[in-house]
């Protein structure tokens, strides 16, 4: 009898744990929403953010309108998040968070500013959740419109 190969069709996000890092101590139950002074609004990343926005599919949540989460607490620092206070959070307003490999965003920094085809390809890989070709550099982030602080997991102070 021939063995069947199984393909992973979905992830069970309802049982997955998500984390968010903050520079300030938050109360349990605090609702996290996108902030105007957050990373995506900094002037030194506007070139990248404008490229990402330009190639964003209509059905994807803008990075400007996102709260960023990780599913591995050790990825907070690597993804550029704060590590002063690390919280377990629950996602709100969506059933499935949008998952993207942040390594594509990092690669975009290395592309010539006039190589529009390559920019589009890289941004497309990010938005479509394609795993980065160098698995050792792969780092997934999740975008949601809102999240609720469930528990303080680490206090960096």
């Amino acid at each position: 009898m021939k063995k069947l190969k199984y393909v992973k069709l979905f992830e069970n996000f309802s049982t997955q744990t998500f984390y968010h890092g903050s520079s300030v101590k938050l109360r349990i139950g605090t609702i996290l929403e996108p902030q105007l002074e957050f990373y995506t609004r900094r002037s030194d990343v506007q070139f990248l953010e404008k490229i990402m926005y330009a190639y964003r599919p209509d059905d994807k949540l803008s990075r400007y309108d996102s709260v960023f989460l990780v599913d591995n607490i050790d990825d907070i620092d690597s993804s550029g998040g704060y590590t002063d206070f690390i919280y377990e959070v629950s996602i709100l307003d969506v059933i499935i968070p949008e998952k993207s490999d942040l390594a594509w965003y990092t690669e975009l920094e290395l592309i010539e500013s006039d190589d529009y085809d390559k920019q589009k390809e890289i941004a497309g890989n990010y938005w479509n959740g394609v795993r980065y070709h160098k698995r050792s550099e792969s780092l997934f982030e999740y975008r949601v419109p809102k999240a609720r602080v469930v528990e303080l997991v680490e206090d960096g102070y």
Side-chain angles (χ1 to χ4, degrees):
M1 180 176 217
K2 186 177 177 181
K3 275 190 154 182
L4 297 176
K5 290 184 180 179
Y6 292 92
V7 177
K8 186 177 180 181
L9 297 176
F10 68 93
E11 293 183 51
N12 188 352
F13 290 109
S14 65
T15 62
Q16 195 166 355
T17 303
F18 294 99
Y19 302 96
H20 180 81
S22 177
S23 62
V24 297
K25 193 165 189 172
L26 303 169
R27 292 181 184 199
I28 303 305
T30 297
I31 304 298
L32 303 173
E33 298 182 284
Q35 302 293 309
L36 290 177
E37 66 276 357
F38 191 63
Y39 175 83
T40 58
R41 305 286 183 175
R42 289 189 352 209
S43 61
D44 61 322
V45 296
Q46 283 312 292
F47 175 74
L48 292 172
E49 291 297 339
K50 287 179 181 176
I51 293 170
M52 295 300 288
Y53 190 81
Y55 295 116
R56 178 181 62 89
D58 291 339
D59 65 335
K60 299 295 182 186
L61 182 64
S62 166
R63 288 177 49 83
Y64 294 118
D65 299 324
S66 296
V67 173
F68 295 89
L69 312 174
V70 294
D71 62 1
N72 179 338
I73 199 168
D74 295 328
D75 289 343
I76 291 175
D77 189 38
S78 301
S79 65
Y82 293 106
T83 57
D84 303 318
F85 301 96
I86 298 176
Y87 297 95
E88 179 181 331
V89 299
S90 62
I91 57 174
L92 301 174
D93 293 350
V94 293
I95 296 171
I96 301 173
E98 294 179 10
K99 179 179 178 181
S100 297
D101 197 330
L102 197 53
W104 291 114
Y105 184 90
T106 302
E107 183 170 311
L108 191 58
E109 293 179 277
L110 307 174
I111 302 304
E112 295 293 325
S113 62
D114 61 349
D115 191 345
Y116 304 114
D117 290 337
K118 192 67 174 170
Q119 290 173 0
K120 183 177 182 177
E121 176 188 346
I122 290 170
N125 287 340
Y126 170 88
W127 289 115
N128 291 307
V130 174
R131 181 182 281 276
Y132 193 64
H133 53 87
K134 294 181 186 174
R135 287 189 172 246
S136 62
E137 296 176 20
S138 183
L139 182 111
F140 282 99
E141 67 179 3
Y142 299 83
R143 294 178 315 283
V144 297
K146 293 181 183 179
R148 176 180 285 119
V149 171
V150 174
E151 177 183 357
L152 175 62
V153 178
E154 286 189 19
D155 183 340
Y157 288 104

